[in-house]
Amino acid sequence: MLEFLTVAFFSILAAGFFVGVVVGLTGMGGGALMTPALLFLGVGSPAVVVTADLTAAAVYKTGGAIVHKREGSPNMQLAKWLMIGSIPMALLGPHLVAWFTDDADQLNYVLIICIGFALLLAAATYALRLYVNLLRVRSGSHVEDDNPAVRVVPTLLVGMLGGLLVGVTSVGSGSVIMIALLMLYPGLSAVRLVGTDLVQAVPLVLAAAVSNIFLHGIDWAILIPLLLGSVPGTILGSMLAPRVPQSFIRRGIVVVLTMSGVALLDKSGWAPLGVEETHPMLIAGIGLAVLVVLPIVWGFLRKQQGLPMFGSPTIAQLEDPSYRPGLVGMKKVDDT
């Protein structure tokens, strides 16, 4: 038993706890943070890390899904069609990558590139979600509809894309699918949106974990500390969520996802970057650019909608689908 108590053990436990807290605080997908954290710790190959992360996520996501199911928040019709599309692709995705790679080195190279792009996609989907909400709030025409007519074909395609992405990279169940649901069903309330996404994510992540375990096995030296850290971290984050300004944390996550995605592509020696090893100054420069440039771009997008560059509606207000604008700079909404 004592052979498990190594520096790597406590590093993984700390990373799991930190990511768990962030997931509990914001509800953002753990895979987008956990997978790169484990890769940068160097505790295992990409295939082993993805497998451990998916297995851990299947455990801690189940608890959240049970809570939402008891409260009746998920739209089970939407969740059903998402699962019909996502589960087969989650099972197939890892095998597709294995079939088209010749050896372990090529497999790890492909996985690092896929994870890098998946992280950039996750960051982009968060920014897109804010812009969609800005358009919704500006129009003043948002009508809640927690039981919309299911658009079967688009919902299946979203599930298939999400399943493939999660099966290969462990990233996407709480980011890419969420923005797709928001765009397909803009009338879903916040709790309904999160509940639906969380319920469909459990079998999706479980299927992806089973497929990866079948191919790569499971490293208990990674999984055990990951579970020991992430489960209490998620619980603590959920308890702290009402007291913490999430908008700042979420914007920080976007910066971290962008830097992590570029760092993995840099580390892989991806041709357009023209490098063969990680360049810390390049990564830091990109992070600083995102931190400085994004607020300016956001300000200009607000001006295009006839709003001041900064002010109400704030990021926090835009993240709340139940938010309704007042009179200042916005179209009046009749609350009666």
Side-chain angles (χ1 to χ4, degrees), residues 170-194:
S170 82
V171 179
S173 64
S175 51
V176 176
I177 292 179
M178 180 78 82
I179 182 61
L181 282 178
L182 181 64
M183 297 182 72
L184 284 175
Y185 306 100
L188 284 178
S189 62
V191 67
R192 201 75 155 173
L193 186 68
V194 173

Side-chain angles (χ1 to χ4, degrees), residues 92-203:
L92 180 61
H95 293 275
L96 286 176
V97 176
W99 290 335
F100 288 101
T101 51
D102 297 326
D103 52 40
D105 289 338
Q106 189 179 18
L107 172 65
N108 290 333
Y109 170 77
V110 170
L111 285 178
I112 287 179
I113 287 185
C114 289
I115 294 168
F117 279 116
L119 293 175
L120 296 179
L121 179 60
T125 56
Y126 172 71
L128 179 60
R129 186 172 73 178
L130 286 180
Y131 184 63
V132 169
N133 282 341
L134 177 66
L135 297 179
R136 172 186 60 79
V137 168
R138 186 66 180 120
S139 70
S141 59
H142 177 72
V143 177
E144 285 194 5
D145 181 9
D146 280 339
N147 295 290
V150 178
R151 302 169 64 185
V152 173
V153 173
T155 304
L156 277 173
L157 291 176
V158 167
M160 292 172 67
L161 174 62
L164 181 63
L165 192 62
V166 172
V168 173
T169 69
S170 82
V171 179
S173 64
S175 51
V176 176
I177 292 179
M178 180 78 82
I179 182 61
L181 282 178
L182 181 64
M183 297 182 72
L184 284 175
Y185 306 100
L188 284 178
S189 62
V191 67
R192 201 75 155 173
L193 186 68
V194 173
T196 302
D197 179 66
L198 193 54
V199 165
Q200 67 83 30
V202 172

Side-chain angles (χ1 to χ4, degrees), residues 25 99 136 213 234:
L25 282 172
W99 290 335
R136 172 186 60 79
I213 290 171
T234 304

Side-chain angles (χ1 to χ4, degrees), residues 23-24 57-74 191 194-202 231 234-235 238:
V23 171
V59 174
Y60 65 74
K61 281 180 181 288
T62 300
I66 291 172
V67 172
H68 277 275
K69 183 66 174 67
R70 285 178 177 173
E71 294 176 353
S73 62
V191 67
V194 173
T196 302
D197 179 66
L198 193 54
V199 165
Q200 67 83 30
V202 172
V231 172
T234 304
I235 295 172
S238 300

Side-chain angles (χ1 to χ4, degrees), residues 244-278:
V244 178
Q246 297 186 22
S247 59
F248 292 103
I249 299 175
R250 289 173 181 265
R251 278 178 278 182
I253 290 174
V254 171
V255 176
V256 171
L257 290 179
T258 303
M259 293 175 66
S260 299
V262 173
L264 287 177
L265 293 176
D266 181 23
K267 184 178 181 179
S268 72
W270 185 53
L273 292 178
V275 295
E276 295 182 354
E277 60 182 16
T278 302

Side-chain angles (χ1 to χ4, degrees), residues 7-97:
V7 173
F9 178 94
F10 289 106
S11 298
I12 296 168
L13 188 146
F17 180 78
F18 174 76
V19 173
V21 170
V22 174
V23 171
L25 282 172
T26 66
M28 294 186 72
L33 297 172
M34 194 77 80
T35 299
L38 294 176
L39 287 175
F40 292 134
L41 284 175
V43 296
S45 68
V48 170
V49 164
V50 167
T51 303
D53 179 39
L54 285 168
T55 307
V59 174
Y60 65 74
K61 281 180 181 288
T62 300
I66 291 172
V67 172
H68 277 275
K69 183 66 174 67
R70 285 178 177 173
E71 294 176 353
S73 62
N75 183 311
M76 296 308 297
Q77 278 294 106
L78 286 182
K80 178 188 76 173
W81 287 107
L82 285 170
M83 288 186 283
I84 291 173
S86 66
I87 292 174
M89 293 305 294
L91 290 169
L92 180 61
H95 293 275
L96 286 176
V97 176

